Amino acid sequence: MPVEIPVEKWAGKVNEVKLGGNGRKSIVIGGETTLPFLKIDGAMPHRPAIAVEVDDVMPADWSPHLIAAWGDALEDPAVWAKKAAEYGADIIALTLDSAHPERGNTGAAEAKKTVEKVLAAVDLPVIIIGPDVAEKDNEVLIAASSVGRGQRLALGNCVDKNYRSVAAACIADGHVAIAKTPIDINLAKQLNILICDIGLAPDAILMDPTTGGLGYGIEYTYSVMERLRLAALIGDKMTSMPMICNVGEESWRQKEARATSGVPATWGDHQERALAWEGITAVSLLNSGADIVVLQHPRTIALIKDAISKLMA
Amino acid sequence: MALSGIEIYKHLPKTNCKKCGFPTCLAFAMKVSQKAIAITACTDLSETARAALEAASRPPIRLITIGGDSRKVEVGNEVVMFRHEKTFYHPPGLMIKLKDTAPLEATLKTVDEVANLVIDRVGLKLSLDGFAIQNESKDAATFARCVEAVKAKADLPLVLMSPDPAAMEAALEKSARSRPLIYAATKDNWEKMAELAKKHSCPLVASEPASLDELAALTQKLNQAGVEDLVLDPGPQGFSSSLNTLTQLRRLALKKSFRPLGYPIITFPAETTGSPEEEVLLAGQQIAKYAGIIVLSRFSPATAYPLLTMRLNMYTDPQKPIQMSPGIYPIGAPKPSSPLCVTTNFSLTYFSVATELEASGFPSWLLVCDTEGLSVLTAWAAGKFDAEKIAKSVKAFNVEASISHRSIIIPGRVAVLRGELEEELQGWKIMVGPPEAMEIGSYLKRYWTN
């Protein structure tokens, strides 16, 4: 018997956002006119990208499996970024963690140097993330912005406390802002409106809906992302920005991925569990609308790259 | 699909006879749609109307039960495409595949390990659901022996996998009372498999990889043969086809009320993936995207744990965060001089903090405030976790009677509350704890002195 497949026709479209260019490799993400990978309803013109986290200081508390996988590269962000590119990164996500008041409190001068070094080391598009303290974010992101002028970096985090200065830097130097809000569809939309109001183009904004790792609130992130994407497809321009998820950090900082001892035997092999933790978080959020996933482990990069190819097929 | 009051009203006699106890047929219809009264309270309903209403009130995806009285898996009866629209009700069964060609001793060891795997998470016990036993030997007696031995070791829900009705019959003789799922009826063997399903009252998989058209044709044949409890196998599904096919099936059931495909779906993620790591990722996708039974090719606690967690998360009711009751909780065996920490009553927050306190080596008191199930930052942002709330909780739960000191550790994420809390709790020392629960142990070692 012939089965008539119900097809959803959407009026809206996710914005296409370009990163890189001007001598640097470029990448375009977004542009969907369908829910993630559902080709029966519409098009997904660009594959979701894999960004790989590179920190400007040796991470103090990483899982031994991450440390073993990256080795000495962790000591130098330029070496680390090159290695990430070899492992298949589409984008480098440079985190200026040393600017955190409690983890070095470095400032604009150091940030400039680090960003210059990483930009010189790889030709991939680059995301710059501040230490997640609004004032320090302003300081180092504005420094990074001028160094990377014209190379269309993505700068984050752009939050309610600092969006004016980050957005202004993006306008001045031709970058993309990462608008981050705490797992809430209304706050996400509101921040997009505020950023657009001061003149940054909608196609220069990415949304970070805040990632909850597997077992630590992934269901909230998953559903907020589905709602944001459905709103975009219905035609809401202020939720039509592509989404970025910080999968690696939110997976590997959990006890299930990090703790090496003192856990129940029923948890099984540590590395296998930790990799599954990051991988399942990534696949789930790709399925709920992530256009960029930031990953940490080299093995996950390969696995997710392959999974994305298969989902796009 | 639940009918609206108006849709029900169309089928009523519209006489306003009041025999049902309501003043009008419309008022009665509204009550029926709210499930406040059964449609049978209308004594004048015509046969055709009754049949139409009953058909319409059947769930769009049939609820299928696998397993006996001791342990069972119930799948199907889902009503939404997205969990935020309502909730996902019946978590997919996670089954481990066993082959009847493997040495029995090794098989039973796995059975034992799977049956005894219990992971404690946020106060819930997470376990795998059962086994899918494959008749790899193609021998009926071997299959039946394996099924019998597995069942004797652990009476968990089973999927019996054989294309051969004779082997299936032999295995059912040993296990039918625990209602295993029969895998599978195909276009070649469906008549005999339907007979077995009816004879033993077991649910049956309809397997047809060719197309959804052919799958629907097969389920209709099985319905006509008298088998109603079906599970669909649309054939091997990789990442993309699994997402697309399973979404189509869910849509057909929910949006078109298409009965022939209104059944839960069984998947075998290993069939299309190249490694155990990849199998786990696809299984993870299928938990969120519409599988009813997921058969895993191997057992590993390291991957069972994240999959069980994924299932727990996706099938949590989004409208009801899991909450702890507010109060003062002893962690370990605290003394009056032990540390006092405060947090919110979102269960995940509570368990993160409690787990770390327990591991810290410092028996402690944990004051849990009623934040309506919100986590620390969310509750703070919503005005449900402020200095006043903490101070009130200290009084309400008579904390001062439990402890001899006057120090309270607040979550680092709400360090901003410190000043106000000093005002609210006169004479207390307000300590700002770490922002992450994981750092509680090192924090106490550094800052807590009796």
Side-chain angles (χ1 to χ4, degrees):
Chain A
M1 71 177 305
V3 173
E4 192 196 332
I5 303 295
V7 173
E8 302 275 0
K9 275 291 161 229
W10 303 105
K13 180 183 176 186
V14 177
N15 301 337
E16 290 187 310
V17 173
K18 188 186 140 190
L19 296 177
N22 202 5
R24 181 164 293 286
K25 269 186 195 159
S26 67
I27 190 168
V28 179
I29 51 159
E32 297 92 333
T33 55
T34 181
L35 288 166
F37 313 108
L38 271 188
K39 54 192 171 195
I40 46 171
D41 295 343
M44 189 159 177
H46 309 291
R47 50 181 284 150
I50 291 175
V52 175
E53 180 178 328
V54 169
D55 296 353
D56 69 342
V57 279
M58 174 97 181
D61 48 4
W62 268 22
S63 163
H65 295 292
L66 282 175
I67 291 171
W70 290 102
D72 295 343
L74 296 178
E75 288 165 24
D76 181 340
V79 179
W80 187 349
K82 267 189 194 161
K83 214 162 175 184
E86 283 166 28
Y87 284 139
D90 300 311
I91 301 171
I92 299 299
L94 174 63
T95 304
L96 301 173
D97 208 36
S98 71
H100 192 285
E102 284 167 22
R103 294 193 284 275
N105 204 22
T106 59
E110 291 93 335
K112 270 189 179 166
K113 239 187 269 169
T114 309
V115 173
E116 266 167 9
K117 225 168 94 170
V118 171
L119 288 177
V122 289
D123 64 352
L124 295 177
V126 174
I127 293 171
I128 312 281
I129 304 285
D132 213 12
V133 177
E135 280 167 31
K136 294 299 289 192
D137 280 358
N138 273 355
E139 186 182 343
V140 295
L141 291 178
I142 288 164
S145 176
S146 64
V147 172
R149 176 185 275 260
Q151 305 195 49
R152 211 161 172 80
L153 311 177
L155 303 180
N157 293 315
C158 183
V159 298
D160 56 353
K161 287 200 195 85
N162 70 356
Y163 73 90
R164 287 171 186 280
S165 33
V166 177
C170 289
I171 295 169
D173 297 324
H175 300 311
V176 170
I178 301 176
K180 183 171 182 178
T181 45
I183 319 192
D184 185 298
I185 180 168
N186 295 313
L187 294 178
K189 180 171 174 174
Q190 190 188 340
L191 184 56
N192 289 336
I193 293 171
L194 290 171
I195 295 171
C196 288
D197 276 354
I198 56 174
L200 187 62
D203 69 356
I205 302 173
L206 298 172
M207 289 191 284
D208 178 347
T210 300
T211 301
L214 178 60
Y216 294 85
I218 193 174
E219 69 274 31
Y220 294 93
T221 301
Y222 183 92
S223 285
V224 159
M225 289 174 69
E226 284 196 329
R227 292 174 63 198
L228 281 166
R229 183 52 49 87
L230 285 165
L233 292 176
I234 288 166
D236 183 346
K237 297 281 177 221
M238 285 300 122
T239 57
S240 298
M241 292 69 183
M243 294 186 274
I244 174 168
C245 290
N246 200 356
V247 168
E249 185 188 354
E250 293 304 323
S251 305
W252 283 95
R253 76 191 186 92
Q254 307 306 347
K255 190 170 175 175
E256 285 80 357
R258 205 161 88 180
T260 45
S261 59
V263 303
T266 49
W267 288 19
D269 179 75
H270 181 206
Q271 171 151 318
E272 189 186 353
R273 177 178 74 239
L275 286 172
W277 219 266
E278 188 180 25
I280 291 175
T281 305
V283 167
S284 306
L285 297 181
L286 284 165
N287 270 315
S288 60
D291 296 281
I292 301 177
V293 284
V294 185
L295 302 177
Q296 285 186 338
H297 198 286
R299 182 72 194 137
T300 315
I301 300 170
L303 283 166
I304 296 303
K305 195 150 205 160
D306 187 47
I308 290 173
S309 298
K310 288 174 176 164
L311 279 163
M312 291 297 292
Chain B
M1 194 76 62
L3 289 179
S4 69
I6 298 295
E7 286 164 321
I8 293 167
Y9 175 69
K10 287 179 191 157
H11 294 282
L12 298 180
K14 304 185 189 73
T15 51
N16 297 338
C17 72
K18 304 187 178 59
K19 281 188 276 183
C20 60
F22 293 92
T24 62
C25 289
L26 184 59
F28 174 67
M30 292 301 170
K31 287 291 169 189
V32 174
S33 77
Q34 293 158 14
K35 302 203 187 330
I37 188 164
I39 187 72
T40 46
C42 176
T43 51
D44 298 338
L45 204 59
S46 72
E47 269 313 308
T48 46
R50 189 189 311 277
L53 286 170
E54 272 173 11
S57 64
R58 264 195 302 174
I61 300 173
R62 193 176 173 85
L63 184 71
I64 302 295
T65 305
I66 302 161
D69 297 332
S70 58
R71 275 276 292 274
K72 59 184 176 183
V73 182
E74 288 187 318
V75 292
N77 204 6
E78 299 298 339
V79 297
V80 291
M81 298 297 299
F82 304 102
R83 55 187 294 283
H84 66 259
E85 295 174 310
K86 182 130 180 93
T87 187
F88 289 173
Y89 287 102
H90 294 97
L94 291 169
M95 315 285 236
I96 301 295
K97 192 168 182 176
L98 305 170
K99 292 178 177 173
D100 68 352
T101 45
L104 197 56
E105 201 177 318
T107 299
L108 293 181
K109 185 166 169 280
T110 304
V111 169
D112 203 42
E113 285 169 3
V114 170
N116 287 313
L117 181 82
V118 179
I119 293 165
D120 206 330
R121 189 171 177 87
V122 290
L124 300 167
K125 308 275 184 214
L126 309 182
S127 300
L128 295 166
D129 299 286
F131 306 97
I133 306 174
Q134 187 169 30
N135 180 21
E136 185 93 344
S137 68
K138 306 205 167 24
D139 177 64
T142 308
F143 189 43
R145 261 201 309 280
C146 184
V147 169
E148 188 179 23
V150 169
K151 197 174 158 314
K153 189 84 186 171
D155 197 6
L156 294 178
L158 296 178
V159 183
L160 305 182
M161 302 177 65
S162 178
D164 172 14
M168 191 59 72
E169 169 93 78
L172 283 168
E173 298 290 343
K174 305 291 184 193
S175 61
R177 282 179 56 196
S178 352
R179 266 180 75 84
L181 175 62
I182 301 173
Y183 184 95
T186 63
K187 60 176 178 288
D188 301 322
N189 68 8
W190 66 271
E191 282 156 309
K192 285 186 174 157
M193 287 297 187
E195 280 307 312
L196 289 174
K198 272 195 297 184
K199 179 175 165 195
H200 296 284
S201 306
C202 291
L204 174 64
V205 177
S207 177
E208 177 51 73
S211 69
L212 295 187
D213 295 358
E214 308 229 348
L215 183 58
L218 179 59
T219 62
Q220 288 190 306
K221 279 191 244 175
L222 292 166
N223 285 162
Q224 280 154 16
V227 185
E228 291 288 341
D229 284 345
L230 296 176
V231 170
L232 306 175
D233 172 20
Q237 307 288 333
F239 281 94
S240 173
S241 66
S242 176
L243 183 67
N244 281 276
T245 307
L246 271 59
T247 301
Q248 289 169 16
L249 286 168
R250 172 78 61 109
R251 276 186 189 169
L252 281 163
L254 297 189
K255 295 185 188 285
K256 298 274 173 189
S257 298
F258 187 69
R259 300 281 167 204
L261 296 176
Y263 299 98
I265 302 157
I266 189 168
T267 64
F268 301 86
E271 283 184 1
T272 55
T273 49
S275 68
E277 289 165 297
E278 205 188 343
E279 177 188 6
V280 168
L281 298 186
L282 181 53
Q285 170 181 301
Q286 290 172 339
I287 287 172
K289 291 296 181 187
Y290 314 138
I293 299 282
I294 300 170
V295 178
L296 301 167
S297 70
R298 72 193 253 280
F299 169 63
S300 161
T303 51
Y305 182 20
L307 288 174
L308 289 166
T309 306
M310 178 69 185
R311 181 172 77 171
L312 175 70
N313 289 166
M314 286 298 137
Y315 282 77
T316 297
D317 186 343
Q319 275 127 36
K320 276 188 264 169
I322 309 170
Q323 300 185 23
M324 295 294 296
S325 35
I328 176 104
Y329 288 80
I331 310 291
K335 294 188 221 127
S337 59
S338 298
L340 169 69
C341 300
V342 61
T343 193
T344 74
N345 79 327
F346 178 37
S347 68
L348 205 57
T349 304
Y350 169 83
F351 282 106
S352 310
V353 175
T355 311
E356 295 303 333
L357 282 175
E358 216 163 279
S360 71
F362 288 84
S364 306
W365 300 97
L366 182 54
L367 175 63
V368 174
C369 297
D370 182 4
T371 57
E372 296 165 30
L374 297 179
S375 62
V376 170
L377 262 188
T378 321
W380 173 75
K384 295 183 198 305
F385 188 55
D386 53 17
E388 197 187 335
K389 172 67 67 66
I390 296 173
K392 272 190 182 155
S393 303
V394 167
K395 301 273 176 327
F397 301 112
N398 204 9
V399 172
E400 297 191 351
S402 301
I403 58 169
S404 56
H405 59 83
R406 291 293 175 263
S407 295
I408 185 167
I409 302 170
I410 64 171
R413 295 269 179 202
V414 290
V416 47
L417 294 181
R418 181 185 194 158
E420 281 171 59
L421 195 53
E422 275 167 354
E423 300 281 312
E424 295 274 348
L425 286 175
Q426 293 285 336
W428 281 70
K429 181 180 171 198
I430 313 301
M431 299 173 68
V432 175
E436 297 296 334
M438 279 202 75
E439 294 151 20
I440 287 174
S442 58
Y443 172 85
L444 288 174
K445 280 182 197 86
R446 269 170 68 192
Y447 297 108
W448 185 263
T449 43
N450 282 328

